[in-house]
Every structure is written in structure tokens, then in C-alpha cells.
Amino acid sequence: MSRIFITGATGNIGIEVIRFLMESDTSNEVIAAVRDIEKSKRLFKDYDRLHFVHFDFENPATFKEATHKVDSVFLLRPPHLADVGKYFRPLIEILKEQQIKEIVFLSVQGAEKSKVIPHNKIERLIKEFSLDFIFVRPSYFMQNLTTTLLDDIKFKRQIILPSGSAKFNWIDIENIGEVCSILLSRFSEFKNREIEITGDENENFSRVVGLINESIARPIHFRNVNPLTYYHIKKKDGMGKGLILVMIMLHFLPIFQKEPKISDFYERLTGKKPTRLADFIRREKNKFEC
Ligand SMILES: NC(=O)c1ccc[n+]([C@@H]2O[C@H](COP(=O)([O-])OP(=O)(O)OC[C@H]3O[C@@H](n4cnc5c(N)ncnc54)[C@H](OP(=O)(O)O)[C@@H]3O)[C@@H](O)[C@H]2O)c1
């Protein structure tokens, strides 16, 4: 039996990783590492086998006790934590000290190409400490449509982005959670590999808006804006400066890059096809209406 420690447990990916681990026939002990135990217990009320421990990336005093006797870690960088030296180095030091060797880190597709992004720095940190790892590098989440982009879709009937006709590879977080749960359970087979996981489709936002409009009553449209206009619109909407800059980087830079590569890892691992965009949109269509 292994003790598996899940960070980011209450977020998009963490919930899916825990769901797949809980639904699998495993004898492993799964521990949700969370800031608020009572709130998390309510969120995961259906999983009586799930354990909880108090853990805060922003409070290193919580690291040692939380990771005591842990065998493997699912490590996720919460989006607002960009200072790798401040938040992740002390944590990796503790993981090394606790002799925890197995780290599955949720990175991002293309992380190896840019030394400045936090995911690249965290990958290098894990290697620097000679921990065994699996880096999972997913493409663009379909669920961005039902989270960060949702207010514009619901209330302005628009997707507003500086992304022009750049194509993104779209992946369902359910597929990511499934892959991560398998990698955590079968770590030794994939040890020290960097694995891209993607969906089957590269599509731009005009096409995605077209697909959404096939499923909903009140149509939406895609409004392509330049980065400066985007900045002003989002500032007025009350979005934080840091998040606006991340959104610009994520959506504007792909205009100048090659189309994302498509990986068949999900299908090879699970024997299934990844979720298709049209199916995701049909599944989630009620969220797009206000
Ligand atoms: N969006 C994309 O298209 C995309 C693509 C590839 C990779 N990624 C990467 O995916 C990651 C985000 O994953 P996600 O969408 O699952 O994140 P998310 O939904 O924003 O969830 C963040 C999680 O981190 C926890 N958290 C935040 N601050 C914490 C702290 N100080 N201590 C402990 N836990 C804390 C939150 O817990 P609380 O409940 O306590 O808030 C929550 O469980 C990022 O690294 C991002 O770069 C995103």
C-alpha cells in the first residue's frame, strides 16, 4: 500500500485525480492536502476512504507534518503562485528530507521550451534534488470555457481574447485526471518521463464559438482584440493585473507559434479516445446560458 498525497485537491484537476483514484480498485491511501479541511470534507462527502491533512503552499510550517510517511506526491502549482524559489524550493527540500521519491507534477505542454515559466523552473528544481518524477504536460483545458471565460460567455455573449486565429489543442480535465491517477498508481512504469497529453483537436476560438452555437439557444460571438484593449477591458471588469498578463501570454503568444503537437498518450494508456470538443460542449451546454 502506498500513501498518495494530492495537492491542489479542491481545484479542477485535483478533484478529477481524486475521483479516479477513489473509483479505482486501489488499496492505496489517498490524502487530500488542503487549506480548509472542513470545506474539503463537504466537497468530497461521497468518498469516505479519503483522508485529509492541513497543507498550505504559502506556509512552510505546514510542510513537514503534512508529508510525514507519504510515498508519492501529486504536485500542482496553484495559478497565483509564480515565485518558485519562495514557494516550491522549501517544499521540495522537505520532500527530499522525508525521502519521498515519487512526484507526479502537473506541468504544461511546451514547458521545456521556456525557462521563464514557473512550470519549467519547478521541473528543473525536482531534477536538481534528484527526486524521481513524472512530468505531465497537458494542453489547453476545455474547462477554461466553463471557468475563466464563462462570465463573458454568459453575460456578454462573447469570448473576448487577443488570440486571433491561433489554434489551441483542447483537452478535457477528466482525461488529465484519469491519466494522473493511473501514473500515480503505476509510477515505476513511467518513472522519469516527461509526458505530453492532449486531445485530438487543434481549433481556434472562432471554430469553438461555432461549435458552442450549435448547442445553445442564444448565440455568442468571438471578439478578437489586441493585448492593450484586452488589458483595459479586463481591468474594468475587475480582473487582477497578474491574471490579465497571464491571460495575454497564454492567448496572444500562440499567434506566433506553430500549432500544438497532438499526442496519442491518453489513448495508448487507457485504450479510449480523448473527449472531443463537440461532446464536451454538449455535456456542459447548460453552463453557457444565463
Ligand atoms: N488552464 C489551462 O488551460 C492549463 C493548461 C495546462 C496546465 N495548466 C496548469 O494547471 C494548474 C492549475 O490547475 P487547476 O486548474 O486544477 O487549478 P485551480 O482549479 O485553480 O485549483 C487550484 C488549487 O490549488 C489550491 N491552492 C491554492 N492556493 C493554495 C495554497 N496556498 N496552499 C494549498 N493549496 C492551495 C486550491 O485550493 P483552495 O480550495 O484552498 O483554494 C485549489 O485546490 C496551473 O499550474 C496551470 O498552469 C493549466
Side-chain angles (χ1 to χ4, degrees):
M1 188 201 75
S2 247
R3 299 185 84 226
I4 306 177
F5 183 85
I6 311 286
T7 66
T10 55
N12 295 316
I13 301 292
I15 289 175
E16 293 301 327
V17 175
I18 287 178
R19 181 166 74 87
F20 279 100
L21 283 170
M22 288 290 109
E23 287 172 3
S24 71
D25 196 16
T26 173
S27 60
N28 293 331
E29 187 174 311
V30 182
I31 306 158
V34 296
R35 290 193 281 194
D36 185 335
I37 293 187
E38 288 316 310
K39 200 172 109 195
S40 307
K41 279 188 174 166
R42 286 195 293 280
L43 177 68
F44 293 112
K45 62 181 180 340
D46 295 337
Y47 304 137
D48 39 358
R49 285 191 299 127
L50 183 62
H51 298 256
F52 297 87
V53 71
H54 181 245
F55 171 81
D56 187 344
F57 279 105
E58 290 157 90
N59 180 5
T62 62
F63 295 173
K64 201 164 184 170
E65 201 178 317
T67 57
H68 183 59
K69 290 203 169 153
V70 159
D71 300 296
S72 51
V73 171
F74 175 71
L75 182 64
L76 178 140
R77 179 192 73 93
H80 69 289
L81 299 183
D83 188 337
V84 172
K86 181 170 174 193
Y87 298 111
F88 288 87
R89 180 170 285 277
L91 176 61
I92 300 295
E93 276 168 5
I94 295 284
L95 299 186
K96 179 78 179 176
E97 196 183 303
Q98 304 269 46
Q99 300 184 338
I100 298 167
K101 292 219 179 81
E102 302 185 352
I103 317 283
V104 174
F105 171 54
L106 186 90
S107 185
V108 64
Q109 187 177 30
E112 71 286 3
K113 291 183 201 143
S114 166
K115 288 207 155 137
V116 296
I117 62 168
H119 308 80
N120 179 296
K121 293 181 188 169
I122 295 171
E123 289 187 0
R124 281 188 284 132
L125 195 60
I126 292 170
K127 286 183 175 172
E128 182 190 320
F129 278 81
S130 304
L131 299 171
D132 283 331
F133 62 83
I134 302 171
F135 297 152
V136 180
R137 296 179 178 154
S139 55
Y140 189 84
F141 300 172
M142 290 180 185
Q143 277 76 2
N144 292 328
L145 294 168
T146 52
T147 55
T148 38
L149 303 174
L150 189 61
D151 275 359
D152 283 351
I153 294 177
K154 271 172 74 167
F155 304 116
K156 298 185 184 170
R157 309 309 293 167
Q158 290 178 355
I159 290 180
I160 308 166
L161 283 172
S163 58
S165 56
K167 289 188 174 177
F168 295 78
N169 179 278
W170 297 78
I171 186 160
D172 184 356
I173 60 169
E174 289 189 10
N175 298 157
I176 303 173
E178 186 176 7
V179 165
C180 292
S181 76
I182 295 171
L183 297 178
L184 285 160
S185 307
R186 293 166 43 190
F187 188 88
S188 55
E189 281 174 59
F190 300 93
K191 191 170 89 174
N192 297 341
R193 281 181 55 187
E194 292 144 2
I195 298 168
E196 283 198 359
I197 50 170
T198 71
D200 275 346
E201 299 151 288
N202 288 344
E203 297 290 2
N204 63 30
F205 274 92
S206 298
R207 168 79 182 131
V208 172
V209 160
L211 286 172
I212 293 175
N213 285 341
E214 286 171 18
S215 286
I216 60 173
R218 289 179 57 216
I220 62 167
H221 71 274
F222 172 50
R223 182 173 164 203
N224 177 45
V225 291
N226 68 45
L228 197 62
T229 307
Y230 181 80
Y231 184 88
H232 289 305
I233 294 172
K234 289 293 137 190
K235 194 91 201 297
K236 220 166 145 198
D237 286 349
M239 190 185 272
K241 211 170 160 182
L243 184 56
I244 301 178
L245 295 176
V246 169
M247 291 292 283
I248 291 174
M249 267 185 43
L250 199 64
H251 296 96
F252 184 61
L253 295 185
I255 293 176
F256 310 99
Q257 294 163 349
K258 283 194 203 139
E259 266 191 41
K261 273 188 286 166
I262 292 183
S263 149
D264 63 356
F265 185 81
Y266 176 80
E267 189 174 351
R268 280 191 285 118
L269 186 72
T270 65
K272 296 179 286 188
K273 293 271 183 204
T275 307
R276 295 201 52 92
L277 258 170
D279 293 328
F280 168 79
I281 289 165
R282 267 193 294 276
R283 190 177 89 201
E284 304 289 336
K285 66 180 180 193
N286 291 341
K287 293 190 178 152
F288 301 130
E289 308 283 8
C290 53

